[in-house]
Amino acid sequence: MKLARLMKVFITGSFPAEGRAALAKAADCEVEQWTSDEPIPREELERRVVGAHGLLCRLSDRVDKKLLDAAGANLKVISTFSVGVDHLPLDEIKKRGIRVGYTPGVLTDATAELAVSLLLTTCRRLPEAIEEVKNGGWSTWSPLWMCGYGLSESTVGIVGLGRIGQAIARRLKPFGVQRFLYTGRQPRPQEAAEFQAEFVPIAQLAAESDFIVVACSLTPDTRGLCNKDFFQKMKNTAVFINISRGDVVNQDDLYQALTSGKIAAAGLDVTTPEPLPPSHPLLTLKNCVILPHIGSATYKTRNTMSLLAANNLLAGLRGEPMPSELEL
């Protein structure tokens, strides 16, 4: 179905080829884009979004009431190039009748692979070992030099047994994990059955796990969930991994837990803020591995995400069912 007039679409940043191609073929859309990899200045964003019918944004974009007001009454669709939607004012969006598309499912495997990679990198102290090779610290063999912690016969606790949490457990199981624990809003017995995972209170998960992987969504209930009380319950040999959202973790409390020896190590793919300033105290610690939020960063995944985001946007503009619409 062709629209009577061109619909203005604004893309807030660089966008992979498959998504660009889908939008370029849309004869009913006039596409404008901020093409730099650097974030669009706020004033520029507010200016460029005026009159837009569709907005294609990224997780790093702050969409708020002021931006929606700047866009005006034409705005009918927001398509986010992410599975997370914590950067969107959902109550305000719902009030205005704006539809929202997002990209769940397509990044599950890539994010789970990254989570396992980060866990192994952290627990086996790979950055430290590489640095020792480079700086001459590798001098002779010693029984306990560069020793870390292994997954065999361990207990793994997963905070949030959703799509990504399940994919992580599925990949960790062949390493010989003895026991899986999980916590969340409610038990998920059907999903947990594959791993014989036990639903437990978060305090029990913290106390009994050798490895903890945080894979939950950011909500009012999970904001600051991993705090001083949580870390104090963990084993001093435990390894903590966060691939969800930075705000789930109180980073000051994590720093204290790592420097005091309360926990053994941490691996983070997400932080607060992002990017993390180079002067941040966590970056001074050998037992803390920090990545620049690259969970979904494979060429295939990012291109697939871009195509889904583009198709969500186009379907929304045309009044058609979206491939992946967020229910508000």
Side-chain angles (χ1 to χ4, degrees), residues 116 120 151-154 156 166-178 180 194-196:
V116 173
L120 292 171
L151 281 161
S152 181
E153 299 181 357
S154 68
V156 172
Q166 293 167 52
I168 292 168
R170 195 169 293 122
R171 285 159 173 77
L172 290 177
K173 189 175 180 181
F175 283 90
V177 173
Q178 187 173 67
F180 283 102
E194 179 182 349
F195 323 106
Q196 293 81 51

Side-chain angles (χ1 to χ4, degrees), residues 254-256 258-259 280-289:
L254 175 61
Y255 177 82
Q256 293 300 321
L258 289 166
T259 54
H280 195 281
L282 284 172
L283 292 171
T284 67
L285 304 181
K286 289 185 177 180
N287 59 342
C288 187
V289 179

Side-chain angles (χ1 to χ4, degrees), residues 254-312:
L254 175 61
Y255 177 82
Q256 293 300 321
L258 289 166
T259 54
S260 67
K262 189 67 200 72
I263 68 174
L268 311 175
D269 185 45
V270 289
T271 60
T272 301
E274 291 183 1
L276 197 66
S279 60
H280 195 281
L282 284 172
L283 292 171
T284 67
L285 304 181
K286 289 185 177 180
N287 59 342
C288 187
V289 179
I290 299 180
L291 303 178
H293 202 155
I294 56 171
S296 64
T298 69
Y299 292 111
K300 179 180 178 181
T301 299
R302 291 285 171 85
N303 269 302
T304 304
M305 287 173 66
S306 74
L307 183 59
L308 179 55
N311 286 336
N312 282 337

Side-chain angles (χ1 to χ4, degrees), residues 15 56-57 79-85 100-108 163-164 296 301-302 304-310 312 323-326:
F15 199 54
L56 204 159
C57 65
S79 178
T80 182
F81 185 39
S82 65
V83 63
V85 293
V100 174
Y102 69 134
T103 62
V106 297
L107 48 69
T108 297
R163 282 184 296 263
I164 294 173
S296 64
T301 299
R302 291 285 171 85
T304 304
M305 287 173 66
S306 74
L307 183 59
L308 179 55
N312 282 337
S324 291
E325 181 167 3
L326 184 69

Side-chain angles (χ1 to χ4, degrees), residues 158-166 169 182-184 188 191-192 195 197 215:
I158 299 178
V159 180
L161 197 67
R163 282 184 296 263
I164 294 173
Q166 293 167 52
Y182 76 101
T183 191
R188 308 189 69 169
E191 293 85 349
F195 323 106

Side-chain angles (χ1 to χ4, degrees), residues 47 60 83 116 123 131 136 202 207 266 269 315:
R47 184 181 70 81
S60 54
V83 63
V116 173
C123 73
E131 187 59 30
I202 192 158
D269 185 45

Side-chain angles (χ1 to χ4, degrees), residues 202 214 216 218 221-232 234 240-242 244-259 263 266 268 270-273 276 280-282 285 288 290:
I202 192 158
V214 181
C216 59
L218 178 63
D221 290 335
T222 62
R223 188 179 297 274
L225 180 69
C226 300
N227 55 18
K228 181 178 180 181
D229 183 59
F230 179 90
F231 295 124
Q232 284 182 337
M234 288 176 60
F240 176 83
I241 304 295
N242 184 21
S244 61
R245 287 291 181 268
D247 282 336
V248 174
V249 177
N250 183 311
Q251 291 178 172
D252 292 337
D253 292 347
L254 175 61
Y255 177 82
Q256 293 300 321
L258 289 166
T259 54
I263 68 174
L268 311 175
V270 289
T271 60
T272 301
L276 197 66
H280 195 281
L282 284 172
L285 304 181
C288 187
I290 299 180

